[in-house]
């Protein structure tokens, strides 16, 4: 008998190990040399018997058997390595015996740390292990590294093997091993991370530099060098000829800039490390401000100047002479968007209204600008230049002439100024709480914060919360309210007020893009972190807006266009079409909102009168829009059943003010599966589903992942449209809105599609089920009644086929509600 078999029997007793395993151990014990084509364990009796135990699906028995085998084998490390080497292309994916063996060996080596192997033999096994590590999945790296003691191996030995993987273009595997073995300080970050970025492996790059500030700074400096003016990103891939899986389309200036600022924000690094990327970000902000001011004309001169001055203060914090590059672009943009006179006047206004001692333009750039703009050379200083400029009132008339347009072109607040209450103390907050927490009341909610324009100033903190009820508007000044008495006590009191309001189902809360406001509110204080949980009684008018038919022009009820605003002399362009809430107000009430103060500095106190009126109007208009829609839904082409916004009920979800570019962080929806709570929209069945529904009344559009379901539903008589393979998922939302259909989809697209249609108009279906099972559950969900006459009624041969088709009776068995009236019976 083999020595290890005898030892095993003496130590643990023959009854503790299966007879098959003991016999296998007696036949030789280790894996013989075999071809990869022989398969895992084809010639190893020990492994074959472990496979038999694995097939019983008894993890406890398998674990016990493995521990006995590892203890009986002469060299379990070598045995497992031969098992893994014998299977070519082994990846260790999912639950398999090899996966269990690796974890079992790690557990055994942990319990038996005093091995009897020589250091030389262990080093040879470690060298053989690297090709296996390059093939296996990431979840097996740690147990293999632990079992074979790679974490305590010689650094130079490890580097030689990892470097070999890099040279053989196994970059992903090499980087993963480098991270696990903590070898990053010994390798050049540029040579490792840049190829990974070209392969679009951003997550691996982040893991590579995690915990190494020096490497983070080195990487950022390299990336920032790609942002310098005139640099060609297309030259980077040429430096890595032969590199596989390059994704050059994934690397452009916009993506690069976002990547850099993501690193700066994540690791809390100084933006001064990236002057080129920072300049590009400031330049983008400057262009945006110019467009808002001179093209879209939705920003006052005062707000525009305030933001430009702040931008230049931030951009020149570490430079004595300011930022000449950005200053030059300011002058160029002024000349591009304005006449020379207006550009000179605006520049002087910026230069002299600066609150700080630091000026917007440095002397060098100022002299060049003043020569370009034609200012007299006898006065080379800003003060001298100002002598030749128009008076301030003339400048305001020339640049801001468009701001003097008739007030009746925009929505006007219908309540007197004395009905707007500015709340700064806890006593005033208590009075507001008594006023708004009244059963049956409708409250319009909006919030304002200072725009950050994508800077590293952190998350937006709400400065003002507007609560509008019939005849009154309450403006909650967050800064003093959060500082009343003890800070924690003040925050708790304010959070308690919001929590009571947001969770009261008897009070209908109106908003437009609720989730965006609530996200900023949560970021304002740690005490607010749960105020957006379990919202009740919310109605997001953004959902309603998405259901309204588009308004092509005049002639339709509630669709009066605002007076056209012609371009003024010295500026380009005119007022652009309305968007967002302003467009909804125009559609329903006939006039848009005046959004001039939208980008104000809401942190500055006292607020200007224009800001107060703007804030009150933004909240109060929600009440009037809601009342007008509910009073005459047909006149506006709105189907209340499509969005279901009765008083006291929440909308399906709180959406962002713009369609989100990525999936919102929300609980994963349940799929249509076993009987349970409905999974449609908020979980409520769609209108009309209380009683049996005729199959002809169900109109659906199936995503291209559910073609089988769509064809099956057609056979049952359902009006089903099916997307083609080349169609994008968003086409389903377009069809659903235009043709009043319900979307049937599966997997990740559900979140996006569900946000683009109304409540109860998008259903998540399990893609893993067969078409018949999917159809049964869809019909049951909608309580649809299928009759014999419906079968194949949408086919060309109609009922004739239905009467003769051999599967017609099978299809009829899918009927969910056989009776013509009353609720459906359980299936």
């Amino acid at each position: 008998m083999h020595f290890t078999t005898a030892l095993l029997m003496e130590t643990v007793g023959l009854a503790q190990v299966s007879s098959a395993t003991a016999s296998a151990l007696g036949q030789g014990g280790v894996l013989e040399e075999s071809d990869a084509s022989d398969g895992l364990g084809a010639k190893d009796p020990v492994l074959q018997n472990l496979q038999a135990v694995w097939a019983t699906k008894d993890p406890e028995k398998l674990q016990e058997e493995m521990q006995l085998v590892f203890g009986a084998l002469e060299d379990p490390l070598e045995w497992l390595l031969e098992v893994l080497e014998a299977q070519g292309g082994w990846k260790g994916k999912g639950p398999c015996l090899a996966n269990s063996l690796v974890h079992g060996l790690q557990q055994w080596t942990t319990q038996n740390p005093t091995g009897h192997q020589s250091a030389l033999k262990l080093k040879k096994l470690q060298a053989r292990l690297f090709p296996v590590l390059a093939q296996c999945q990431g979840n097996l790296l740690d147990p293999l590294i632990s079992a074979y003691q790679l974490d305590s191996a010689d650094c130079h030995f490890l580097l030689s093997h990892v470097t070999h993987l890099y040279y053989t273009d196994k970059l992903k595997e090499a980087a993963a091993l480098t991270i696990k073995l903590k070898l990053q300080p010994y390798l050049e970050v540029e040579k490792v991370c840049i190829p990974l970025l070209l392969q679009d492996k951003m997550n691996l790059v982040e893991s590579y530099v995690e915990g190494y500030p020096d490497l983070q700074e080195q990487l950022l400096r390299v990336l920032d060098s790609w942002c310098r003016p005139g640099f060609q990103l297309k030259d980077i891939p040429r430096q890595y000829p032969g590199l596989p899986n390059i994704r050059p389309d994934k690397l452009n200036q916009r993506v690069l800039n976002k990547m850099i600022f993501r690193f700066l924000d994540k690791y809390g690094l100084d933006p001064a490390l990236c002057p080129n990327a920072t300049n590009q970000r400031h330049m983008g902000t400057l262009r945006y401000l110019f467009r808002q001011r001179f093209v879209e004309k939705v920003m006052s001169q005062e707000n525009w100047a305030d933001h430009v001055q702040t931008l230049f203060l931030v951009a020149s914090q570490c430079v004595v002479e300011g930022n000449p590059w950005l200053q030059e672009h300011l002058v160029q943009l002024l000349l591009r968007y304005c006449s020379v006179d207006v550009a000179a006047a605006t520049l002087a206004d910026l230069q002299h209204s600066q609150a700080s001692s630091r000026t917007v333009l440095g002397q060098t750039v100022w002299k060049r600008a003043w020569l370009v703009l034609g200012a007299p050379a006898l006065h080379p200083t800003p003060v001298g230049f100002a002598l030749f400029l128009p008076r301030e009132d003339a400048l305001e008339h020339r640049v801001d002439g468009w701001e003097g347009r008739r007030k009746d072109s925009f929505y006007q607040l219908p309540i007197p100024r004395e009905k707007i209450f500015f709340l700064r103390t806890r006593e005033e907050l208590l009075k507001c709480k008594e006023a708004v927490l009244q059963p049956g009341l409708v409250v319009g909610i909006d919030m304002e914060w200072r725009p950050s324009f994508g800077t590293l100033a952190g998350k937006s903190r709400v400065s003002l919360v507007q609560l509008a009820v019939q005849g009154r508007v309450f403006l909650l000044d967050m800064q003093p309210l959060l500082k009343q008495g003890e800070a924690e006590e003040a925050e708790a009191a304010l959070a308690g007020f919001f929590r009571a309001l947001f969770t009261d189902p008897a009070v209908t809360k109106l908003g437009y893009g609720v989730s965006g406001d609530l996200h900023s509110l949560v970021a304002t204080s740690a005490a607010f972190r749960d105020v957006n949980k379990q919202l009740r009684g919310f109605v997001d008018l953004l959902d309603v807006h998405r259901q309204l038919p588009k308004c092509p022009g005049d002639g339709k009820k509630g669709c009066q266009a605002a007076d056209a605003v012609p371009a003024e002399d010295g500026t380009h362009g005119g007022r652009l079409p309305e968007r967002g809430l302003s467009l909804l107000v125009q559609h329903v009430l006939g006039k848009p909102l005046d959004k001039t103060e939208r980008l104000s500095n809401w942190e500055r106190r006292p607020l200007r009168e224009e800001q107060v009126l703007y804030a009150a109007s933004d909240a109060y208009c929600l009440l009037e829009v809601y009342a007008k829609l509910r009073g005459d839904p047909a006149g506006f082409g709105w189907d209340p059943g499509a969005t279901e916004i009765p008083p006291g009920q929440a909308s399906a979800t709180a959406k962002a003010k713009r369609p989100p570019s990525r999936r919102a962080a929300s609980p994963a929806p349940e799929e249509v599966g076993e009987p349970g709570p409905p999974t449609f929209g908020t979980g409520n069945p769609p209108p009309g589903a209380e009683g049996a529904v005729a199959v002809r009344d169900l109109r659906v559009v199936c995503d291209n992942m559910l073609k089988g379901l769509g064809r099956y539903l057609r056979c049952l008589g359902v009006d089903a449209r099916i997307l083609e393979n080349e169609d994008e998922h968003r086409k389903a939302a377009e069809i659903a809105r235009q043709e009043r259909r319900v979307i049937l989809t599966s997997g990740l697209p559900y979140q996006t599609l569900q946000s683009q249609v109304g409540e109860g108009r998008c259903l998540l279906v399990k893609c893993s089920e067969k078409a018949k099972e999917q159809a049964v559950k869809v019909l049951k969900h909608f309580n649809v009644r299928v009759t014999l006459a419906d079968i194949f009624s949408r086919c060309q041969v109609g009922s004739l086929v239905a009467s003769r088709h051999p599967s017609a009776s099978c299809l009829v068995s899918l009927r969910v509600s056989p009776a013509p009236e009353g609720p459906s019976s359980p299936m």
Side-chain angles (χ1 to χ4, degrees), residues 40-88:
L40 188 61
K43 295 183 179 181
D44 187 346
V46 176
L47 187 58
Q48 289 176 351
N49 285 284
L50 286 175
Q51 286 175 329
V53 178
W54 162 263
T56 64
K57 298 183 179 180
D58 186 344
E60 294 183 1
K61 183 178 180 181
L62 177 63
Q63 181 67 21
E64 180 182 355
E65 197 78 11
M66 285 191 301
Q67 295 304 308
L68 294 173
V69 167
F70 291 142
L73 287 170
E74 184 175 353
D75 191 344
L77 294 178
E78 185 176 10
W79 177 82
L80 179 61
L81 192 54
E82 289 176 342
V83 169
L84 301 180
E85 290 174 335
Q87 180 68 14

Side-chain angles (χ1 to χ4, degrees), residues 510-512 539-545 584 622 625-626 629 645:
L510 306 177
Y512 191 92
V539 176
D540 196 335
L541 291 180
L542 176 59
D543 296 344
V544 180
H545 194 185
L584 177 63
L622 300 173
V625 167
Y626 183 68
L629 282 174
I645 56 169

